[in-house]
Amino acid sequence: MLKEDSTHDAQLGQQFANAIGHTSFAMWFPHNARLSVSGGVLTIATDSSFLRDLVRTNMDDELRRAAKQIIGGNGELRYVVSEPKQVVRDTIATVPSETSAIGSQGDRVVVEKSVANGIANGIAKSCASSPATPAPSPYPSKAANRGSFETFVIGESNRFAFEVARQVARRGTMGTPVTLLGDCGSGKSHLLAAIRDDYRCRFPKSRTLLITAEQFTTGFLGALNGGGLPNFRHKHRGVDLLIIDNLPFFVGKRATIEELQYTIDSVLSEGGQVVLASHKPLAELSQLGGELISRCASGLTCDLGLPDAEARREIISQLFARHETPVDDDVVGVLAIGLATGVREIMGVVNRLATQHRLLGDVIDRSLAERVVGQANRHARRPVKLDDIQRVVCDFFGVDGKALRSDDRHKSVSQPRMLAMWLARKYTQSAWREIGTYFGGRSHSTVISAHRRIEKQLNSTSETRIAGQPWQLQEAIERLESALRTG
């Protein structure tokens, strides 16, 4: 076991290299992060919050196990950002030489952030030997579109799309158009940026282009009016990877649609790859024309659903970590259950809470989280009425509306009724008494009791029988909420 207050980097590095494996250690340490031990706590210091998050995302479990083995105790970790001794660029990452000794300086290589993301996939060696800066895109990139495979939270609703996206980036081509389909906030833009960045890292001499449908349209019309059509076509048809976001924007633009069809055919015929994204299913985009829709349908379509509760927990935890704002698991749970929305809405709520904590000093506790969630739900969604909740619950569980509002206390009716009252409190601005009056003239204390019982059941992993059927309560709630969103 290592002695307390150890600052002997070489000794510490050797011990952790033995514990986590020399390959992993050489990939991340000592340049991407530095280790020290004090007071039974292992501190991991990096030169930027970007590298800190990257190390934490990819190495946290291994470091905790190693810390328990080497230091003892609970394997407590502390991540800090320290000022670098010499800043070359704000996107610096380093890759040690394979032949360098543990703890030595190694070969320093400046790479883009996309290369640092590639390190986590074990491809630092190929990236380090390649040109650092990819060919400039004719369009400016948007900060909102930045993402990586390492920071993408995988769940059942997006697992297939994630694997397809990763294969596109690794193989360079799947020989067919790939179309990502999902609601706003499902992670499409994140995956598109991850494909582009990882592809550039793996194929540094390739030509990649990530644009929106609006940018394609604007560029095409400008080329027509300005006589620059050959240059426009060279930029878009001469790429190895063409990624276009927001496919529905092309609806009604016949000339642009025709140009897009020829562009897709040209890229594919030259062995390139095309990736498209849409927030609407192909069945609702018939106005794009049969030819373009058939091109997409003949390829590979991948659905991305909104994140489930477990994925939302992970996303929320990551976002608070980026804000360097610690919160209790109880608060994360409140947000994950209360925000049955897309990632953008979740980002907005976390940003609101972190900013309120930083500027006003407010403690982010359960009460504050519930209040902000309620406000966000009222602003983000169409108004939900008590009639809407009764209709959705009755349709879902096969319960008659009159029975739901009656004095019937059988579990086949009482459990759906409690769930309806819980949803009413979450999605409407109705007071306890108003909810009780609607659901059969019940007192406000009865509604509060029902609300608490549902909250308690949500914290349990056991199944609950609702209307005679076994359910995981969280799954049932998510389906009900989906029905409320779609009207």
Side-chain angles (χ1 to χ4, degrees):
M1 185 178 295
L2 193 71
K3 293 182 179 180
E4 290 287 334
D5 302 321
S6 172
T7 57
H8 197 301
D9 289 343
Q11 177 192 358
L12 187 63
Q14 184 66 59
Q15 289 180 297
F16 271 89
N18 293 335
I20 68 176
H22 288 263
T23 300
S24 295
F25 188 89
M27 185 180 298
W28 294 103
F29 305 96
H31 305 306
N32 289 330
R34 296 170 296 282
L35 302 174
S36 63
V37 176
S38 178
V41 177
L42 174 66
T43 298
I44 301 97
T46 60
D47 293 343
S48 69
S49 58
F50 167 75
L51 287 175
R52 177 204 60 201
D53 294 342
L54 199 62
V55 174
R56 177 160 45 195
T57 299
N58 292 279
M59 294 299 298
D60 190 79
D61 291 341
E62 290 86 345
L63 288 173
R64 288 187 185 277
R65 286 193 294 268
K68 289 181 182 179
Q69 173 186 340
I70 297 170
I71 305 170
N74 296 324
E76 184 177 350
L77 304 186
R78 177 172 173 259
Y79 291 89
V80 300
V81 177
S82 60
E83 291 295 329
K85 294 181 179 179
Q86 182 180 3
V87 179
V88 180
R89 295 173 60 182
D90 63 355
T91 56
I92 191 169
T94 56
V95 182
S97 170
E98 286 186 343
T99 58
S100 62
I102 299 297
S104 66
Q105 290 301 306
D107 299 328
R108 297 184 64 83
V109 181
V110 178
V111 292
E112 290 288 335
K113 280 185 179 180
S114 58
V115 178
N117 290 334
I119 292 174
N121 286 330
I123 59 171
K125 182 178 177 182
S126 62
C127 294
S129 61
S130 306
T133 306
S137 166
Y139 299 98
S141 62
K142 295 184 177 179
N145 285 339
R146 296 191 182 278
S148 69
F149 290 126
E150 288 71 38
T151 57
F152 188 85
V153 178
I154 307 169
E156 290 303 319
S157 64
N158 58 28
R159 189 179 303 278
F160 177 66
F162 174 83
E163 290 300 334
V164 169
R166 194 162 58 171
Q167 289 304 312
V168 169
R170 289 181 174 181
R171 296 179 180 177
T173 177
M174 299 191 75
T176 183
V178 171
T179 307
L180 304 181
L181 303 174
D183 291 336
C184 296
S186 59
K188 299 187 302 299
S189 296
H190 189 134
L191 277 185
L192 296 183
I195 293 171
R196 176 198 60 190
D197 293 346
D198 203 32
Y199 185 95
R200 281 178 173 175
C201 176
R202 295 173 182 277
F203 307 98
K205 295 183 180 180
S206 66
R207 295 158 297 174
T208 62
L209 184 60
L210 168 57
I211 59 173
T212 65
E214 181 180 4
Q215 289 172 328
F216 184 94
T217 302
T218 301
F220 174 61
L221 295 178
L224 283 178
N225 295 329
L229 197 55
N231 287 335
F232 174 85
R233 287 175 173 168
H234 175 72
K235 288 178 180 178
H236 295 78
R237 300 185 185 184
V239 298
D240 301 292
L241 174 63
L242 175 64
I243 307 173
I244 301 179
D245 196 4
N246 194 18
L247 196 59
F249 184 85
F250 291 116
V251 169
K253 303 172 177 63
R254 294 184 180 180
T256 307
I257 290 173
E258 184 176 356
E259 180 67 23
L260 176 63
Q261 291 172 183
Y262 286 127
T263 299
I264 293 174
D265 289 344
S266 177
V267 173
L268 294 177
S269 66
E270 295 295 325
Q273 178 66 54
V274 175
V275 180
L276 307 169
S278 171
H279 62 275
K280 292 184 178 182
L282 296 180
E284 296 181 14
L285 299 176
S286 58
Q287 290 178 288
L288 290 177
E291 290 190 34
L292 182 56
I293 292 299
S294 65
R295 279 172 173 77
C296 296
S298 65
L300 193 59
T301 58
C302 309
D303 293 317
L304 285 90
L306 293 176
D308 57 25
E310 191 60 34
R312 292 197 297 271
R313 288 185 70 96
E314 178 62 25
I315 292 169
I316 291 165
S317 297
Q318 283 191 16
L319 291 172
F320 274 119
R322 293 179 194 175
H323 282 284
E324 299 183 353
T325 304
V327 293
D328 294 336
D329 289 341
D330 187 42
V331 171
V332 175
V334 169
L335 297 176
I337 293 172
L339 295 170
T341 55
V343 178
R344 290 171 184 166
E345 290 81 3
I346 294 173
M347 290 176 67
V349 169
V350 172
N351 185 51
R352 155 78 185 273
L353 288 169
T355 302
Q356 191 166 333
H357 171 71
R358 186 175 66 253
L359 296 181
L360 304 180
D362 291 350
V363 177
I364 304 178
D365 55 13
R366 184 184 185 92
S367 176
L368 177 60
E370 289 177 342
R371 186 164 67 251
V372 172
V373 164
Q375 294 171 351
N377 286 335
R378 286 192 290 271
H379 293 320
R381 302 186 178 109
R382 67 175 183 83
V384 176
K385 300 178 180 179
L386 293 173
D387 287 343
D388 297 326
I389 292 173
Q390 175 184 276
R391 173 179 52 79
V392 166
V393 170
C394 289
D395 290 347
F396 189 75
F397 294 114
V399 179
D400 183 74
K402 291 182 179 179
L404 199 71
R405 300 170 70 171
S406 71
D407 292 331
D408 192 336
R409 296 188 178 183
H410 287 93
K411 286 189 175 181
S412 59
V413 176
S414 63
Q415 189 73 14
R417 183 189 297 126
M418 286 194 298
L419 202 47
M421 290 190 286
W422 184 89
L423 289 169
R425 184 63 180 177
K426 176 178 178 180
Y427 283 95
T428 74
Q429 300 185 49
S430 302
W432 298 111
R433 187 175 299 279
E434 185 179 355
I435 296 172
T437 300
Y438 181 88
F439 289 103
R442 288 169 168 78
S443 66
H444 74 283
S445 59
T446 300
V447 181
I448 293 174
S449 176
H451 189 275
R452 288 175 177 171
R453 289 184 64 180
I454 295 296
E455 289 283 312
K456 184 177 180 180
Q457 291 173 9
L458 280 171
N459 292 324
S460 172
T461 57
S462 59
E463 287 187 338
T464 301
R465 294 193 70 83
I466 307 177
Q469 297 294 325
W471 282 97
Q472 286 290 342
L473 186 58
Q474 184 59 54
E475 179 185 357
I477 287 175
E478 288 180 357
R479 294 195 184 186
L480 291 169
E481 289 174 330
S482 178
L484 285 173
R485 283 197 300 269
T486 57

PDB file of all heavy atoms in Angstrom, residues 323 325 349-361 364:
ATOM      1  N   HIS A 323     -20.274  21.811 -15.519  1.00  0.00           N
ATOM      2  CA  HIS A 323     -20.444  23.098 -14.835  1.00  0.00           C
ATOM      3  C   HIS A 323     -19.640  23.167 -13.534  1.00  0.00           C
ATOM      4  O   HIS A 323     -19.649  24.211 -12.872  1.00  0.00           O
ATOM      5  CB  HIS A 323     -21.925  23.337 -14.521  1.00  0.00           C
ATOM      6  CG  HIS A 323     -22.739  23.782 -15.697  1.00  0.00           C
ATOM      7  ND1 HIS A 323     -22.693  25.072 -16.188  1.00  0.00           N
ATOM      8  CD2 HIS A 323     -23.622  23.117 -16.484  1.00  0.00           C
ATOM      9  CE1 HIS A 323     -23.512  25.177 -17.220  1.00  0.00           C
ATOM     10  NE2 HIS A 323     -24.095  24.002 -17.421  1.00  0.00           N
ATOM     11  N   THR A 325     -20.402  21.768 -10.812  1.00  0.00           N
ATOM     12  CA  THR A 325     -21.406  22.006  -9.778  1.00  0.00           C
ATOM     13  C   THR A 325     -21.838  20.669  -9.188  1.00  0.00           C
ATOM     14  O   THR A 325     -22.558  19.904  -9.831  1.00  0.00           O
ATOM     15  CB  THR A 325     -22.635  22.723 -10.371  1.00  0.00           C
ATOM     16  OG1 THR A 325     -22.219  23.939 -11.002  1.00  0.00           O
ATOM     17  CG2 THR A 325     -23.649  23.043  -9.288  1.00  0.00           C
ATOM     18  N   VAL A 349     -32.266  23.262 -18.294  1.00  0.00           N
ATOM     19  CA  VAL A 349     -32.582  23.207 -16.869  1.00  0.00           C
ATOM     20  C   VAL A 349     -31.310  23.117 -16.037  1.00  0.00           C
ATOM     21  O   VAL A 349     -31.174  23.815 -15.017  1.00  0.00           O
ATOM     22  CB  VAL A 349     -33.504  22.005 -16.577  1.00  0.00           C
ATOM     23  CG1 VAL A 349     -33.632  21.774 -15.079  1.00  0.00           C
ATOM     24  CG2 VAL A 349     -34.885  22.244 -17.185  1.00  0.00           C
ATOM     25  N   VAL A 350     -30.365  22.288 -16.446  1.00  0.00           N
ATOM     26  CA  VAL A 350     -29.107  22.165 -15.699  1.00  0.00           C
ATOM     27  C   VAL A 350     -28.354  23.492 -15.719  1.00  0.00           C
ATOM     28  O   VAL A 350     -27.810  23.926 -14.691  1.00  0.00           O
ATOM     29  CB  VAL A 350     -28.239  21.038 -16.283  1.00  0.00           C
ATOM     30  CG1 VAL A 350     -26.848  21.047 -15.645  1.00  0.00           C
ATOM     31  CG2 VAL A 350     -28.905  19.686 -16.066  1.00  0.00           C
ATOM     32  N   ASN A 351     -28.340  24.135 -16.872  1.00  0.00           N
ATOM     33  CA  ASN A 351     -27.671  25.440 -16.972  1.00  0.00           C
ATOM     34  C   ASN A 351     -28.339  26.461 -16.051  1.00  0.00           C
ATOM     35  O   ASN A 351     -27.661  27.263 -15.384  1.00  0.00           O
ATOM     36  CB  ASN A 351     -27.697  25.928 -18.419  1.00  0.00           C
ATOM     37  CG  ASN A 351     -26.916  27.207 -18.610  1.00  0.00           C
ATOM     38  OD1 ASN A 351     -25.766  27.310 -18.204  1.00  0.00           O
ATOM     39  ND2 ASN A 351     -27.536  28.198 -19.236  1.00  0.00           N
ATOM     40  N   ARG A 352     -29.664  26.425 -15.996  1.00  0.00           N
ATOM     41  CA  ARG A 352     -30.402  27.335 -15.112  1.00  0.00           C
ATOM     42  C   ARG A 352     -30.023  27.100 -13.654  1.00  0.00           C
ATOM     43  O   ARG A 352     -29.734  28.052 -12.906  1.00  0.00           O
ATOM     44  CB  ARG A 352     -31.907  27.124 -15.328  1.00  0.00           C
ATOM     45  CG  ARG A 352     -32.805  27.499 -14.166  1.00  0.00           C
ATOM     46  CD  ARG A 352     -33.037  28.975 -14.023  1.00  0.00           C
ATOM     47  NE  ARG A 352     -33.814  29.266 -12.824  1.00  0.00           N
ATOM     48  CZ  ARG A 352     -35.157  29.273 -12.763  1.00  0.00           C
ATOM     49  NH1 ARG A 352     -35.866  28.996 -13.856  1.00  0.00           N
ATOM     50  NH2 ARG A 352     -35.779  29.563 -11.645  1.00  0.00           N
ATOM     51  N   LEU A 353     -30.007  25.841 -13.234  1.00  0.00           N
ATOM     52  CA  LEU A 353     -29.696  25.529 -11.841  1.00  0.00           C
ATOM     53  C   LEU A 353     -28.250  25.881 -11.495  1.00  0.00           C
ATOM     54  O   LEU A 353     -27.975  26.446 -10.435  1.00  0.00           O
ATOM     55  CB  LEU A 353     -29.955  24.050 -11.575  1.00  0.00           C
ATOM     56  CG  LEU A 353     -31.427  23.615 -11.536  1.00  0.00           C
ATOM     57  CD1 LEU A 353     -31.546  22.103 -11.527  1.00  0.00           C
ATOM     58  CD2 LEU A 353     -32.133  24.208 -10.327  1.00  0.00           C
ATOM     59  N   ALA A 354     -27.324  25.534 -12.390  1.00  0.00           N
ATOM     60  CA  ALA A 354     -25.906  25.810 -12.128  1.00  0.00           C
ATOM     61  C   ALA A 354     -25.653  27.313 -12.064  1.00  0.00           C
ATOM     62  O   ALA A 354     -24.892  27.798 -11.209  1.00  0.00           O
ATOM     63  CB  ALA A 354     -25.042  25.169 -13.203  1.00  0.00           C
ATOM     64  N   THR A 355     -26.296  28.078 -12.943  1.00  0.00           N
ATOM     65  CA  THR A 355     -26.122  29.535 -12.949  1.00  0.00           C
ATOM     66  C   THR A 355     -26.741  30.159 -11.706  1.00  0.00           C
ATOM     67  O   THR A 355     -26.172  31.073 -11.098  1.00  0.00           O
ATOM     68  CB  THR A 355     -26.764  30.130 -14.213  1.00  0.00           C
ATOM     69  OG1 THR A 355     -26.171  29.531 -15.367  1.00  0.00           O
ATOM     70  CG2 THR A 355     -26.553  31.633 -14.271  1.00  0.00           C
ATOM     71  N   GLN A 356     -27.920  29.666 -11.320  1.00  0.00           N
ATOM     72  CA  GLN A 356     -28.574  30.182 -10.119  1.00  0.00           C
ATOM     73  C   GLN A 356     -27.725  29.905  -8.879  1.00  0.00           C
ATOM     74  O   GLN A 356     -27.618  30.741  -7.979  1.00  0.00           O
ATOM     75  CB  GLN A 356     -29.954  29.535  -9.975  1.00  0.00           C
ATOM     76  CG  GLN A 356     -30.832  30.181  -8.915  1.00  0.00           C
ATOM     77  CD  GLN A 356     -32.286  29.734  -9.048  1.00  0.00           C
ATOM     78  OE1 GLN A 356     -32.744  29.383 -10.138  1.00  0.00           O
ATOM     79  NE2 GLN A 356     -33.007  29.740  -7.950  1.00  0.00           N
ATOM     80  N   HIS A 357     -27.098  28.739  -8.853  1.00  0.00           N
ATOM     81  CA  HIS A 357     -26.218  28.398  -7.739  1.00  0.00           C
ATOM     82  C   HIS A 357     -24.983  29.298  -7.715  1.00  0.00           C
ATOM     83  O   HIS A 357     -24.567  29.775  -6.660  1.00  0.00           O
ATOM     84  CB  HIS A 357     -25.791  26.932  -7.868  1.00  0.00           C
ATOM     85  CG  HIS A 357     -24.714  26.517  -6.915  1.00  0.00           C
ATOM     86  ND1 HIS A 357     -24.924  26.364  -5.563  1.00  0.00           N
ATOM     87  CD2 HIS A 357     -23.394  26.246  -7.127  1.00  0.00           C
ATOM     88  CE1 HIS A 357     -23.790  25.998  -4.986  1.00  0.00           C
ATOM     89  NE2 HIS A 357     -22.845  25.927  -5.907  1.00  0.00           N
ATOM     90  N   ARG A 358     -24.423  29.566  -8.900  1.00  0.00           N
ATOM     91  CA  ARG A 358     -23.201  30.364  -8.985  1.00  0.00           C
ATOM     92  C   ARG A 358     -23.453  31.839  -8.697  1.00  0.00           C
ATOM     93  O   ARG A 358     -22.682  32.489  -8.001  1.00  0.00           O
ATOM     94  CB  ARG A 358     -22.574  30.200 -10.375  1.00  0.00           C
ATOM     95  CG  ARG A 358     -21.224  30.879 -10.520  1.00  0.00           C
ATOM     96  CD  ARG A 358     -20.580  30.582 -11.863  1.00  0.00           C
ATOM     97  NE  ARG A 358     -21.317  31.137 -12.979  1.00  0.00           N
ATOM     98  CZ  ARG A 358     -22.042  30.429 -13.823  1.00  0.00           C
ATOM     99  NH1 ARG A 358     -22.141  29.104 -13.661  1.00  0.00           N
ATOM    100  NH2 ARG A 358     -22.681  30.990 -14.824  1.00  0.00           N
ATOM    101  N   LEU A 359     -24.539  32.383  -9.217  1.00  0.00           N
ATOM    102  CA  LEU A 359     -24.798  33.816  -9.089  1.00  0.00           C
ATOM    103  C   LEU A 359     -25.481  34.187  -7.777  1.00  0.00           C
ATOM    104  O   LEU A 359     -25.174  35.222  -7.179  1.00  0.00           O
ATOM    105  CB  LEU A 359     -25.647  34.304 -10.268  1.00  0.00           C
ATOM    106  CG  LEU A 359     -25.014  34.205 -11.655  1.00  0.00           C
ATOM    107  CD1 LEU A 359     -25.966  34.757 -12.704  1.00  0.00           C
ATOM    108  CD2 LEU A 359     -23.682  34.951 -11.708  1.00  0.00           C
ATOM    109  N   LEU A 360     -26.416  33.350  -7.340  1.00  0.00           N
ATOM    110  CA  LEU A 360     -27.212  33.687  -6.155  1.00  0.00           C
ATOM    111  C   LEU A 360     -26.818  32.884  -4.927  1.00  0.00           C
ATOM    112  O   LEU A 360     -27.265  33.189  -3.822  1.00  0.00           O
ATOM    113  CB  LEU A 360     -28.702  33.474  -6.452  1.00  0.00           C
ATOM    114  CG  LEU A 360     -29.272  34.234  -7.659  1.00  0.00           C
ATOM    115  CD1 LEU A 360     -30.751  33.919  -7.833  1.00  0.00           C
ATOM    116  CD2 LEU A 360     -29.056  35.736  -7.507  1.00  0.00           C
ATOM    117  N   GLY A 361     -26.008  31.845  -5.142  1.00  0.00           N
ATOM    118  CA  GLY A 361     -25.617  31.017  -4.019  1.00  0.00           C
ATOM    119  C   GLY A 361     -26.708  30.069  -3.552  1.00  0.00           C
ATOM    120  O   GLY A 361     -26.625  29.517  -2.453  1.00  0.00           O
ATOM    121  N   ILE A 364     -28.772  23.777  -4.530  1.00  0.00           N
ATOM    122  CA  ILE A 364     -29.551  22.967  -5.465  1.00  0.00           C
ATOM    123  C   ILE A 364     -30.043  21.732  -4.715  1.00  0.00           C
ATOM    124  O   ILE A 364     -29.406  20.682  -4.682  1.00  0.00           O
ATOM    125  CB  ILE A 364     -28.705  22.564  -6.688  1.00  0.00           C
ATOM    126  CG1 ILE A 364     -28.122  23.804  -7.373  1.00  0.00           C
ATOM    127  CG2 ILE A 364     -29.558  21.780  -7.689  1.00  0.00           C
ATOM    128  CD1 ILE A 364     -27.231  23.493  -8.546  1.00  0.00           C
TER     129      ILE A 364
END
